[in-house]
Amino acid sequence: MIKNILTITLNPTVDKSSAVDKITPERKLRCDPPKYEPGGGGVNVSRALSRLGIQSDAFFPSGGRTGKLLEELLEKEKVSILPFELEDETRESFIVVETSTNQQYRFGMPGSAIPEEAQERIFTSIMNLSPFPDLVVISGSLPPDMEASFLRRLIKSLKEKQAKVVLDTSGEALEEAVAEGVFLLKPNIGELAKLTGAESLDNESADEAAKELITMGKAEVVVVSMGPQGAHLVTKDMNRHIPAPSVRKLSTVGAGDSMVAGMVSVLAKGGDFCEMAMMGVACGTAATMNPGTGLFKVEDVDRLYKWLQKSTVG
């Protein structure tokens, strides 16, 4: 059983979303009233865990008017927050849905750079937490100019204090973090190919690539996200494909974070890895059924998880 869960989001955002009938250049577009929601990998994981009845603490830098709004939005969702105050403004992202086509346009802002002195204070704040977390989810992008080596150093120190690390990031940050090694890794098939030096991967070779990472000590458990094809669960003793239920997709925003939250919720309750992966797929799929950044509805998760229990044999 896992008692204390911490999520870390180093580049959080407030997601501002709206909808318009048709996106046309050089014309004034009449949009629906905007909706504001908390965003960023670990922030979304904490939001999703809260919906699943699992308590976590969300650590994130927060600055300016947008940072205060982010804190208020999370408190409304009853998420326990550990904001780290900064002077620079927390970033906003903008999402527009074209209702005539159901196409989604996502505009992600880079955020403000965090000075090295503040980075050191962030590191110290995390390492001095009491009680210290049993499981730490590090999810999302890094702020501009933050070296990926910061992430590797953080993971190393977390492991030294016996915390299990769950990682969901991309690019150089992913490569650097995996070099240190984590408990649970959730790459997509493209990220897995990069990590193992493969030109491309299919279902069969993805399993082999994930096993290679485990053999090299880069992860204890790898769950390869395959989108509409579900996921591959790989451990040193297990290789299992979890199919994705067929649903009407409205948005993919937050699906990956929802998947991570679903997996962590099962780990928190002491469930096995197969249950973990099925709950991850159920939450990730359920999130695609809702527009904008609304994550998932618990009733959809329950229904999809029951379907997966019947459909996943062996």
Side-chain angles (χ1 to χ4, degrees):
M1 299 289 287
I2 293 171
K3 293 182 180 178
N4 299 310
I5 299 170
L6 176 72
T7 68
I8 298 175
T9 312
L10 294 171
N11 198 22
T13 181
V14 169
D15 287 324
K16 183 178 181 179
S17 60
S18 185
V20 66
D21 178 58
K22 188 174 178 60
I23 294 179
T24 307
E26 299 183 24
R27 290 188 61 183
K28 185 177 287 187
L29 306 177
R30 302 295 181 184
C31 300
D32 288 353
K35 184 176 183 180
Y36 297 89
E37 292 175 296
V43 164
N44 279 335
V45 172
S46 280
R47 294 174 64 207
L49 282 171
S50 179
R51 295 184 186 197
L52 296 169
I54 302 294
Q55 172 69 32
S56 69
D57 293 313
F59 181 97
F60 55 90
S62 173
R65 173 190 58 82
T66 312
K68 290 301 178 188
L69 176 58
L70 175 60
E71 294 174 32
E72 291 169 7
L73 290 169
L74 286 168
E75 286 170 347
K76 281 182 182 177
E77 294 191 27
K78 296 183 169 41
V79 173
S80 174
I81 61 173
L82 299 172
F84 182 89
E85 299 300 327
L86 292 175
E87 290 184 7
D88 289 332
E89 193 84 17
T90 296
R91 69 188 177 119
E92 274 190 351
S93 295
F94 187 44
I95 301 157
V96 181
V97 174
E98 186 180 58
T99 55
S100 59
T101 62
N102 201 34
Q103 293 292 314
Q104 187 181 82
Y105 296 83
R106 300 164 66 173
F107 303 89
M109 309 305 169
S112 301
I114 300 177
E116 286 189 19
E117 176 271 334
Q119 292 182 31
E120 285 304 309
R121 288 191 290 116
I122 286 172
F123 181 89
T124 301
S125 295
I126 293 170
M127 298 314 300
N128 287 341
L129 288 173
S130 180
F132 200 74
D134 305 303
L135 186 145
V136 179
V137 179
I138 302 175
S139 182
S141 61
L142 295 182
D145 300 330
M146 178 178 276
E147 297 289 338
S149 57
F150 175 88
L151 203 56
R152 184 170 184 172
R153 176 183 165 219
L154 178 60
I155 291 170
K156 183 176 187 294
S157 298
L158 290 168
K159 288 163 56 181
E160 287 172 352
K161 296 191 81 165
Q162 309 306 312
K164 292 182 181 295
V165 178
V166 177
L167 180 69
D168 186 18
T169 186
S170 59
E172 186 184 352
L174 175 61
E175 293 176 22
E176 192 77 14
V178 168
E180 175 57 40
V182 296
F183 171 65
L184 171 61
L185 183 65
K186 188 200 76 68
N188 61 37
I189 197 163
E191 291 164 345
L192 181 61
K194 255 190 171 179
L195 287 173
T196 55
E199 284 191 21
S200 62
L201 296 171
D202 55 23
N203 287 0
E204 185 175 343
S205 57
D207 294 345
E208 295 168 359
K211 185 61 82 75
E212 180 183 334
L213 289 181
I214 293 169
T215 302
M216 293 169 64
K218 306 305 182 186
E220 293 181 42
V221 184
V222 178
V223 178
V224 186
S225 174
M226 307 287 289
Q229 295 183 57
H232 286 296
L233 164 66
V234 183
T235 71
K236 66 183 180 69
D237 301 317
M238 183 189 303
N239 186 327
R240 183 74 61 85
H241 175 245
I242 311 296
S246 179
V247 299
R248 181 170 179 263
K249 184 177 76 173
L250 295 180
S251 170
T252 59
V253 177
D257 301 326
S258 295
M259 183 177 184
V260 171
M263 293 192 290
V264 170
S265 74
V266 171
L267 292 174
K269 296 174 183 176
D272 63 38
F273 289 143
C274 190
E275 292 169 334
M276 175 198 79
M278 286 193 295
M279 180 59 80
V281 170
C283 289
T285 304
T288 69
M289 299 167 65
N290 295 303
T293 55
L295 298 180
F296 55 75
K297 295 176 182 174
V298 174
E299 55 267 34
D300 290 333
V301 170
D302 291 341
R303 178 173 54 82
L304 296 176
Y305 183 72
K306 288 174 183 175
W307 182 89
L308 284 165
Q309 284 180 310
K310 295 177 182 176
S311 303
T312 305
V313 181

